[in-house]
Amino acid sequence: MTVIEPDGRRVASYTVGDLFDLPDDGNRYELCDGVLLTTPVPAPLHQRIVCRLLGILDDALPDELEALPAVNVRVSGRDFYIPDLVVVHEKSVERVGLMFSPRDLLLVVEVCSPSTMKQDEGLKAVAYAQAGIPSYWRIEPDEGPALYVYELKGDRYEPPVVHKAGAVARMAVPVAVEFDPAVLCVRR
């Protein structure tokens, strides 16, 4: 688990297997190229947005697709993520044990918070594209909220289409769905 840098510094490098040895301390642990990413459990507004979007997707998805919150995604032995929400084929839910593979995912959604902004906007957008995940949605609560929709072209996402609160966002992938991003923050 230890890597020696050219200048002699020791730097920790983790594998997905190492995650099982970490403490159950309320943090979420992810890996990017062996680097440990640690974030606290999401705040209530973050969770509200995930729940509202889950409901919207559940209503729009055909029976063979399913939206799930906070699943494990193993990209490689040194890359592991826990997206806020994913859309998968129902068949993959029944065959997958603890971790999904990127090939199981049709859509990945991340709701940004101050502690994850740079990761969600940059690092995860690149990682999800390189893993071949067809669609990535990033939600920025502080922008009203705003929904950033990325679609895969080759091994990269096209620049995102931005949908601001107050206007209806229309998406076709992975399913036809329409909603105003503002509804994601509204109380029931």
Side-chain angles (χ1 to χ4, degrees):
M1 173 167 21
T2 302
V3 174
I4 308 293
E5 292 291 317
D7 65 2
R9 290 181 301 127
R10 290 179 176 254
V11 179
S13 179
Y14 294 87
T15 66
V16 173
D18 294 328
L19 293 176
F20 297 106
D21 296 331
L22 295 175
D24 185 9
D25 60 4
N27 286 313
R28 290 171 61 159
Y29 294 101
E30 298 176 295
L31 289 177
C32 178
D33 195 25
V35 175
L36 192 64
L37 308 174
T38 306
T39 56
V41 173
L45 178 60
H46 182 282
Q47 298 297 62
R48 177 186 287 167
I49 290 169
V50 171
C51 288
R52 298 297 177 273
L53 184 56
L54 183 63
I56 290 167
L57 289 172
D58 272 345
D59 290 344
L61 291 172
D63 290 342
E64 64 271 10
L65 299 180
E66 188 168 353
L68 299 170
V71 300
N72 298 317
V73 178
R74 181 184 179 140
V75 175
S76 72
R78 294 170 38 92
D79 295 281
F80 171 87
Y81 300 99
I82 306 172
D84 291 312
L85 193 137
V86 298
V87 171
V88 298
H89 286 282
E90 184 184 17
K91 288 184 245 178
S92 66
V93 172
E94 296 166 6
R95 71 167 169 68
V96 167
L98 182 60
M99 296 181 216
F100 282 95
S101 161
R103 71 178 176 274
D104 297 316
L105 309 177
L106 302 171
L107 169 66
V108 174
V109 179
E110 295 285 2
V111 178
C112 293
S113 59
S115 65
T116 66
M117 172 67 88
K118 288 181 182 177
Q119 294 170 7
D120 295 341
E121 187 177 6
L123 181 124
K124 287 187 179 180
V126 170
Y128 292 152
Q130 289 176 344
I133 299 169
S135 294
Y136 172 47
W137 295 0
R138 180 172 52 88
I139 299 169
E140 296 284 346
D142 293 342
E143 294 181 23
L147 170 64
Y148 291 75
V149 176
Y150 299 78
E151 297 298 328
L152 193 63
K153 183 161 187 162
D155 63 349
R156 295 176 186 221
Y157 289 125
E158 301 235 338
V161 175
V162 182
H163 302 277
K164 301 276 186 178
V168 174
R170 291 177 178 82
M171 283 75 63
V173 177
V175 65
V177 64
E178 298 181 1
F179 62 94
D180 178 343
V183 303
L184 299 174
C185 290
V186 176
R187 287 182 46 199
R188 292 183 358 164

